[in-house]
Amino acid sequence: MDNYVTGAVIRSLRESKRLTQEELSDRIHVSAKAVSKWETGKGFPDVSLLEPLAESLGISVIELLNGGAIQNRNQSFNMFKSKFYVCPVCGNVIQATGEAVISCCGVTLMPQEPEEMDGEHQIQLEPVEDEYFVSMRHPMTKNHFISFLAAVSDQGIQFVKLYPEGNAEARFKTSRVKRLYAYCNRHGLFELKKQK
């Protein structure tokens, strides 16, 4: 089953907590035999047990479903390592500054990997006083459009959500902006690294 907890994950997390199958079973009020079945792949925990199971193993339900604890090694965080996640169901956009397990509409989202700009996905940048006017010559139909534009500096992210049949353009303050991103709903994320 995709996106459901596996026996290997339960066993690994249980052992890392130094719990026996019986100790884990006592914590979540099931038999040790049930835990053994889960760990050997002969069964799955009922969905009603996911929360107490995750709590007993010291992680969140999302981490349990993902296969383990997420540890953000980006403690000092670097805005240029930010990641964008886009829900394929509702179009929701989520931005994170480090490792994360993110889900939306029941789907675990993967971070978008920026691609090099191509002929159809060129980000145009025009300085206007203390702002950048960012635009793209790209279709903005209901089925094919630029979903968002973003400007990233070492201080934060400026973000503009776009909609079909609108214009693929936005204005961003120029202060310390080093990267610009555009997300096409068909072709993914594109990046422009601003020259110094």
Side-chain angles (χ1 to χ4, degrees):
M1 296 175 85
D2 288 342
N3 292 329
Y4 200 76
V5 64
T6 65
V9 168
I10 295 171
R11 181 177 180 173
S12 171
L13 292 169
R14 176 183 61 77
E15 289 175 348
S16 72
K17 284 292 214 185
R18 297 188 186 336
L19 295 172
T20 65
Q21 287 181 344
E22 192 165 295
E23 288 170 331
L24 179 59
S25 68
D26 287 345
R27 288 183 178 195
I28 58 175
H29 309 292
V30 298
S31 69
K33 192 174 183 178
V35 173
S36 177
K37 280 185 176 181
W38 301 340
E39 290 185 359
T40 57
K42 295 177 182 166
F44 293 101
D46 184 76
V47 70
S48 66
L49 294 172
L50 292 182
E51 195 169 324
L53 178 60
E55 186 178 322
S56 296
L57 296 172
I59 61 174
S60 70
V61 173
I62 291 176
E63 289 172 309
L64 179 64
L65 292 172
N66 190 58
I70 298 298
Q71 296 192 348
N72 188 357
R73 290 170 179 74
N74 190 14
Q75 295 298 327
S76 61
F77 86 66
N78 178 340
M79 292 306 294
F80 299 118
K81 292 183 180 179
S82 294
K83 305 213 180 281
F84 294 97
Y85 298 79
V86 181
C87 179
V89 178
C90 71
N92 192 14
V93 180
I94 302 158
Q95 177 267 322
T97 58
E99 290 295 317
V101 176
I102 296 178
S103 65
C104 186
C105 297
V107 177
T108 300
L109 306 179
M110 298 303 295
Q112 295 293 313
E113 293 295 329
E115 299 179 34
E116 301 247 346
M117 292 186 297
D118 59 25
E120 188 180 9
H121 300 96
Q122 288 291 320
I123 300 171
Q124 306 297 321
L125 179 67
E126 181 184 338
V128 179
E129 295 180 9
D130 67 340
E131 293 181 322
Y132 288 126
F133 177 68
V134 179
S135 62
M136 295 181 74
R137 290 185 183 97
H138 187 281
M140 291 295 283
T141 66
K142 289 183 180 179
N143 297 319
H144 189 196
F145 59 95
I146 299 298
S147 174
F148 70 84
L149 294 169
V152 179
S153 73
D154 59 348
Q155 298 174 323
I157 294 178
Q158 301 172 67
F159 181 90
V160 174
K161 178 76 172 122
L162 302 174
Y163 298 94
E165 300 178 356
N167 294 323
E169 59 189 37
R171 289 184 177 271
F172 299 112
K173 292 291 183 186
T174 58
S175 180
R176 302 166 79 140
V177 168
K178 298 285 186 238
R179 296 186 187 165
L180 295 158
Y181 293 93
Y183 181 79
C184 172
N185 73 321
R186 283 195 184 171
H187 301 104
L189 189 65
F190 294 88
E191 176 183 53
L192 171 65
K193 291 183 181 176
K194 194 174 140 312
Q195 301 300 316
K196 293 181 180 179

